[in-house]
């Protein structure tokens, strides 16, 4: 059985690597580790990198990468895929597979950390004050929930933490409540990547900073029932996704059993309202609705026009 240790990085396609690297570093406190005209790699703390930006004609997610546990070698993962009949390719020192909707997943070998001390006891490198602590998880919208659950549990060895009625599933590989989630909205789209911050005070400072850069929240701050985390979702127009800043996520017991939550407001946000409809959309009308608070001003979001 394959065994994942942690999420390693998210790779996004961008139109202008230089511009995107400067923007992500300045707005989210990430450190640029390497950069050329084709690719940039940025880090939260002292990991090699947690965000990769690749030059492309248009935005989108290139892949999400996970690191194997020390006890599971790349050869073990290779045999696992072969035994299941799952196609894979050698890529960037790891193995790349695709989920049922074509989202790529890169599985990387275990990497010994530079130091084993807790983060605040390690010598600093190029971090800035207020940087996120880590890349914590990702979330995808899906039109094939059952197939996706089968892939992420059977092929990647993730375990189900929680279900939201019949419309969403959260997965874990460690004590963190989730490292990945699928929400059924009838179509596939990368929804968000999430950065862990210390507490709501750091989140406040980060949101003040982002507001000065013209960013806004699609939803939040909220307190999720599922996951327990306090979360704020920052719209990223350029890469057609959100960044979640979160803290205080539920930590699981080793013998955790999956739960099924009712699909109601409380499960999504114990503090108040459900997200606006624009939160699950990435078209121009949804972006404009959020930017100008049109729903709050009494202008309903029009139906999305199918391309």
């Amino acid at each position: 059985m394959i065994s994942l240790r942690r999420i390693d990085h998210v790779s996004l396609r961008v139109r202008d690597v230089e511009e995107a690297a400067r923007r992500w570093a300045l707005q989210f406190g990430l450190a640029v580790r390497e950069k050329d005209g084709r690719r940039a790699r940025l880090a939260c703390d002292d990991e090699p990198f947690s965000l990769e930006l690749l030059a492309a004609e248009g935005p989108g997610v290139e892949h999400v990468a996970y690191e194997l546990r020390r006890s599971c070698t790349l050869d073990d993962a290779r045999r696992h895929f072969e035994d299941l009949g799952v196609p894979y390719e050698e890529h960037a020192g790891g193995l790349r597979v695709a989920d049922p909707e074509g989202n790529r997943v890169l599985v990387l070998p275990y990497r010994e950390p530079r130091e084993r001390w807790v983060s605040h006891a390690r010598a600093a490198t190029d971090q800035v004050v207020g940087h996120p602590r880590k890349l914590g998880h990702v979330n995808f919208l899906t039109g094939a929930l059952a197939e996706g659950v089968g892939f992420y549990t059977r092929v990647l060895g993730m375990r189900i933490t929680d279900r939201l009625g019949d419309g969403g599933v959260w997965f874990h590989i460690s004590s963190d409540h989730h490292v990945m989630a699928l929400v059924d909205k009838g179509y596939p789209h990368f929804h968000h990547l999430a950065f862990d911050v210390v507490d709501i005070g750091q989140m406040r400072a980060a949101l003040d900073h982002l507001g000065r850069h013209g960013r806004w929240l699609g939803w939040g701050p909220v307190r999720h029932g599922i996951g327990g985390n306090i979360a704020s979702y920052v719209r990223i127009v350029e890469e057609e996704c959100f960044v979640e800043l979160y803290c205080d996520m539920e930590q699981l017991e080793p013998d955790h059993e999956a739960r099924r939550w009712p699909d109601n407001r409380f499960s999504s946000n114990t503090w108040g309202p459900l997200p606006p409809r624009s939160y699950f959309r990435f078209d121009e009308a949804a972006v404009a609705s959020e930017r100008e608070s049109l729903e709050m001003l009494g202008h309903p979001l029009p139906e999305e026009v199918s391309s």
Side-chain angles (χ1 to χ4, degrees):
M1 172 63 73
I2 193 170
S3 183
L4 302 178
R5 173 175 175 255
R6 66 179 188 94
I7 188 169
D8 187 86
H9 68 269
V10 172
S11 181
L12 297 178
R13 296 189 291 269
V14 301
R15 292 187 176 91
D16 184 332
V17 170
E18 178 69 31
E19 182 277 331
R22 182 172 59 252
R23 168 167 44 86
W24 281 88
L26 177 62
Q27 295 182 11
F28 289 97
L30 305 181
V32 178
R33 290 287 156 79
E34 58 179 276
K35 176 169 59 69
D36 56 32
R38 184 180 61 88
R39 180 180 70 187
R41 287 175 167 175
L42 298 88
C44 294
D45 195 349
D46 56 2
E47 76 280 14
F49 67 99
S50 56
L51 177 65
E52 181 178 58
L53 305 172
L54 298 177
E57 292 184 0
V61 62
E62 179 65 23
H63 63 250
V64 178
Y66 298 91
E67 181 187 317
L68 293 166
R69 292 188 181 277
R70 187 204 304 266
S71 59
C72 182
T73 67
L74 206 59
D75 283 339
D76 292 333
R78 189 178 288 109
R79 283 191 294 270
H80 173 72
F81 295 148
E82 291 171 351
D83 288 346
L84 293 177
V86 174
Y88 67 87
E89 59 181 342
E90 308 282 341
H91 179 77
L95 305 175
R96 191 165 63 183
V97 296
D99 76 10
E101 292 178 303
N103 300 305
R104 294 171 172 172
V105 178
L106 180 62
V107 175
L108 295 170
Y110 172 81
R111 179 178 57 243
E112 190 69 23
R114 182 172 62 89
E115 294 179 321
R116 290 190 163 275
W117 314 122
V118 293
S119 60
H120 59 272
R122 297 193 292 261
T125 54
D126 51 1
Q127 299 89 352
V128 298
V129 173
H131 63 84
R133 294 198 292 186
K134 67 177 182 179
L135 170 69
H137 61 269
V138 292
N139 180 300
F140 283 83
L141 307 183
T142 180
L145 183 61
E147 295 87 343
V149 171
F151 174 86
Y152 285 98
T153 55
R154 180 167 171 263
V155 177
L156 291 181
M158 295 184 181
R159 299 179 294 282
I160 295 175
T161 312
D162 284 324
R163 295 179 182 269
L164 177 62
D166 296 320
V169 179
W170 283 253
F171 306 86
H172 69 279
I173 58 177
S174 66
S175 61
D176 281 357
H177 177 273
H178 61 279
V179 73
M180 211 277 290
L182 293 171
V183 177
D184 186 2
K185 288 298 172 182
Y187 65 97
H189 198 288
F190 178 65
H191 189 268
H192 68 259
L193 60 98
F195 292 133
D196 175 87
V197 296
V198 174
D199 55 24
I200 198 168
Q202 184 182 355
M203 187 183 299
R204 175 197 56 78
L207 293 177
D208 281 346
H209 176 72
L210 288 160
R212 296 180 68 183
H213 284 277
R215 296 292 175 193
W216 68 85
L217 294 181
W219 189 33
V222 305
R223 169 71 99 168
H224 291 309
I226 296 178
N229 45 311
I230 299 170
S232 297
Y233 296 89
V234 182
R235 171 75 73 168
I236 308 299
V237 177
E238 298 88 342
E239 280 73 60
E240 296 185 358
C241 65
F242 286 92
V243 167
E244 176 191 349
L245 301 177
Y246 75 95
C247 62
D248 207 21
M249 179 174 283
E250 179 185 3
Q251 297 298 297
L252 304 176
E253 297 292 337
D255 58 351
H256 175 80
E257 296 184 11
R259 301 164 292 200
R260 187 179 296 273
W261 291 68
D263 192 353
N264 60 20
R265 188 274 298 169
F266 193 83
S267 299
S268 293
N269 181 13
T270 64
W271 284 352
L274 289 165
R277 290 187 300 155
S278 59
Y279 173 75
F280 295 110
R281 287 172 47 175
F282 299 88
D283 56 287
E284 291 182 5
V287 172
S289 177
E290 287 181 356
R291 180 186 283 121
E292 306 301 330
S293 292
L294 295 180
E295 283 195 75
M296 291 69 174
L297 293 173
H299 304 287
L301 180 65
E303 294 298 323
E304 188 170 8
V305 178
S306 300
S307 56

